Amino acid sequence: MTTSRHHFPPGFLWGAATAAYQIEGAWNADGKGESIWDHFSHTPGRIRRGETGDVACDHYHRYAEDVDLMAEIGLQSYRFSIAWPRIFPHGDTALNQKGLDFYRRLVAALRERGIVPMATLYHWDLPQKLQERGGWVNRDTAMRFAEYAAFLFEHLGAEIPLWATHNEPFISAYFGYGNGEKAPGVRRFWDVLTVGHHLLLSHGLAVQAYRASGRRAEAGGHSGIGIVLMIWPHHPASASPRDVQANRLVDGAMNRMFLEALFCRRYPDDMWQHFRRRLMLPRVAPGDMELIGQPMDFLGINTYTRVVNAANWRDLLAGAQQVTPQEPTTAMGWEIYPPSIYESVMKVRSYGDIPLYITENGIALHDEKGNDGRVADGARIAYMQSHLAELHRAMAEGADVRGYYVWSLLDNFEWELGYDKRFGLIHVDFATQKRTLKDSAYWYRDLIATNSLS
Ligand code: FCB
């Protein structure tokens, strides 16, 4: 019997990802300000079972142990996010030194173990004080974000080689300000494009601040600044023109609006016409699109599954409805569809040849620890294996993918769904905070050690 192996290029970066609110806990420790997620999760009825990120994985206090576990797995990079209100509790420029010190310690621990830090500036936890002034509906928030970003480039820029401005601006806009399922929980669909525009504008301003700080991406290395987008492929439920049109609009809202703005310095015409009829257009000031579309050093892709869309006239936004995902599905109810990662990469690639990182990919399961102490998550291994084979296929066809981050390092707080969606390579017992490496962590360790997939 022959076994085939997929080899990844030398220097390919293997990592895992997290986000501040989902793991840190310590929500009001050491001078941290309230974020929109603190506020939202403390509002009754917003989160399943009334759970909150108050403690989460207590990573704020246990980061050293967590970095040791990363080293045990052999991670080469770690993607985490910085909680803006830990640095600037009120969203202005009054610094909370202890918050900055925490990230300094974390980054130092990573670097000691040779783990390359990738920091996301915004993974959804806006200072609540800024929300009280309109949040991302207010253009001024983009300016505040640029100040926060510039501060971090100055103080951590020498230690952190990879920076992502935003995580999934689509989710921030549509789920934060449209359907209100995520913080700040606002339901004003007519504002979502304005929010999206301000998020992109703040990205552009942060890239500008990064360049002004004198930092440059080194050719061939892992450094520079980019943005992380959610890129899921969309497929029409049938070949009927109505389904095809509905699918085009959903893909337009989720993917093309962001990709075209960033790569082509414009919003897609068809989407502009579509949203104009819904009185949703944002105010675009002269120069905005140039700022948004200035060159970045890489693009991060978060991809998990595909979406199949059918026409539904009752949906005001895109006249579409998502078709019930086909089995097999994950604990999130998402279809397991390995070509999704290939299609996501190829879609982005059609916009331009820019270095790519898969900044999130993974599976939620209802993992349990067995009597032998093991967490046997074969389904996660199968998911990673099949998706990495599809990623390899995209790379074999020329896609310049530089690294892959599993979502997630640890089981954590899955936003409005709380704690029962376990995405981690590491099992967390939330009652005791005990960490246990799952089978997938050992499997990933072997993969990293050989830089190849069997
Ligand atoms: C992504 C988020 C991440 C996590 C995964 C499951 O959309 O960026 O924080 O919730 O989904």
Side-chain angles (χ1 to χ4, degrees):
M1 202 179 87
T2 55
T3 56
S4 67
R5 284 196 90 82
H6 293 310
H7 293 274
F8 284 79
F12 189 83
L13 213 51
W14 296 103
T18 62
Y21 188 71
Q22 295 180 274
I23 65 163
E24 285 180 1
W27 76 279
N28 60 358
D30 292 343
K32 176 179 166 291
E34 188 187 24
S35 79
I36 55 175
W37 270 95
D38 295 315
H39 195 85
F40 186 74
S41 70
H42 293 158
T43 308
R46 294 301 207 165
I47 314 284
R48 288 215 191 143
R49 299 170 297 275
E51 290 167 349
T52 72
D54 289 3
V55 178
C57 307
D58 196 30
H59 171 78
Y60 185 77
H61 298 112
R62 296 168 195 263
Y63 75 91
E65 175 190 350
D66 291 338
V67 175
D68 284 342
L69 292 171
M70 293 179 213
E72 194 176 332
I73 302 172
L75 294 189
Q76 298 164 338
S77 185
Y78 173 52
R79 172 176 179 243
F80 62 99
S81 79
I82 296 178
W84 183 351
R86 253 191 222 296
I87 309 290
F88 295 124
H90 310 291
D92 53 18
T93 52
L95 171 67
N96 175 39
Q97 184 64 44
K98 287 188 172 168
L100 179 64
D101 291 346
F102 165 68
Y103 294 106
R104 262 196 208 299
R105 290 195 301 275
L106 169 65
V107 170
L110 292 168
R111 288 168 60 94
E112 263 168 41
R113 289 159 185 80
I115 301 171
V116 177
M118 178 193 278
T120 306
L121 290 167
Y122 188 79
H123 203 127
W124 308 348
D125 45 359
L126 185 74
Q128 175 64 19
K129 281 276 189 295
L130 290 181
Q131 186 55 37
E132 284 157 18
R133 276 179 255 141
W136 289 106
V137 177
N138 183 350
R139 188 176 166 100
D140 187 59
T141 299
M143 315 303 155
R144 302 288 79 77
F145 179 78
E147 287 169 1
Y148 155 67
F151 176 88
L152 289 177
F153 301 146
E154 187 186 335
H155 292 272
L156 292 174
E159 287 88 16
I160 300 179
L162 285 163
W163 293 91
T165 54
H166 280 278
N167 180 73
E168 302 185 351
F170 168 80
I171 297 287
S172 295
Y174 284 74
F175 285 70
Y177 292 81
N179 67 21
E181 285 179 18
K182 287 184 157 65
V186 174
R187 293 194 187 98
R188 291 165 60 98
F189 262 114
W190 55 93
D191 276 343
V192 298
L193 295 195
T194 297
V195 169
H197 184 66
H198 291 159
L199 290 164
L200 285 172
L201 186 64
S202 76
H203 156 81
L205 291 166
V207 173
Q208 196 176 49
Y210 179 80
R211 305 285 180 231
S213 76
R215 309 218 168 266
R216 294 277 171 279
E218 286 158 33
H222 295 289
S223 58
I225 189 161
I227 191 169
V228 170
L229 298 182
M230 165 181 174
I231 304 286
W232 293 10
H234 290 265
H235 297 166
S238 79
S240 85
R242 289 176 59 242
D243 285 352
V244 170
Q245 164 71 353
N247 184 67
R248 194 173 56 82
L249 290 174
V250 182
D251 175 56
M254 291 176 79
N255 298 328
R256 290 189 290 118
M257 284 290 281
F258 295 92
L259 288 167
E260 264 196 58
L262 290 160
F263 286 96
C264 317
R265 304 178 178 204
R266 58 160 194 259
Y267 290 116
D269 275 345
D270 63 325
M271 298 309 295
W272 208 251
Q273 297 312 328
H274 172 76
F275 286 129
R276 181 194 300 279
R277 289 196 293 275
R278 283 159 181 74
L279 303 176
M280 289 174 61
L281 292 191
R283 210 169 283 135
V284 178
D288 281 4
M289 298 316 288
E290 287 65 33
L291 260 174
I292 291 171
Q294 68 192 286
M296 342 173 237
D297 303 315
F298 69 89
L299 189 96
I301 298 177
N302 290 355
T303 184
Y304 291 86
T305 184
R306 66 164 171 173
V307 182
V308 179
N309 297 295
N312 179 349
W313 59 270
R314 280 194 213 90
D315 173 58
L316 294 177
L317 202 63
Q321 139 193 0
Q322 190 182 337
V323 171
T324 309
Q326 280 176 34
E327 293 298 331
T329 58
T330 73
M332 294 292 279
W334 296 346
E335 181 185 350
I336 299 179
Y337 177 75
S340 58
I341 193 166
Y342 170 87
E343 292 175 24
S344 301
V345 167
M346 289 320 208
K347 181 172 190 81
V348 171
R349 207 170 163 247
S350 69
Y351 283 84
D353 202 5
I354 177 173
L356 304 173
Y357 290 89
I358 302 300
T359 35
E360 289 182 23
N361 178 244
I363 179 171
L365 297 170
H366 296 293
D367 295 312
E368 278 172 29
K369 212 151 120 181
N371 291 334
D372 56 358
R374 250 181 73 196
V375 184
D377 60 341
R380 181 167 291 102
I381 296 174
Y383 179 98
M384 289 170 68
Q385 201 152 26
S386 58
H387 286 69
L388 284 168
E390 287 288 331
L391 176 63
H392 192 271
R393 176 159 75 102
M395 293 169 69
E397 291 177 22
D400 181 10
V401 184
R402 305 274 174 99
Y404 172 90
Y405 295 80
V406 179
W407 184 270
S408 178
L409 177 72
L410 302 163
D411 291 340
N412 61 45
F413 178 76
E414 180 50 33
W415 308 112
E416 73 279 12
L417 304 177
Y419 288 98
D420 76 337
K421 312 289 178 206
R422 292 180 177 271
F423 272 98
L425 292 170
I426 299 173
H427 180 273
V428 178
D429 178 333
F430 293 105
T432 61
Q433 291 296 342
K434 185 170 167 34
R435 275 82 161 133
T436 306
L437 267 58
K438 301 180 189 176
D439 283 1
S440 58
Y442 294 107
W443 176 85
Y444 197 41
R445 182 184 66 185
D446 294 344
L447 180 149
I448 296 170
T450 59
N451 200 28
S452 68
L453 177 75
S454 63

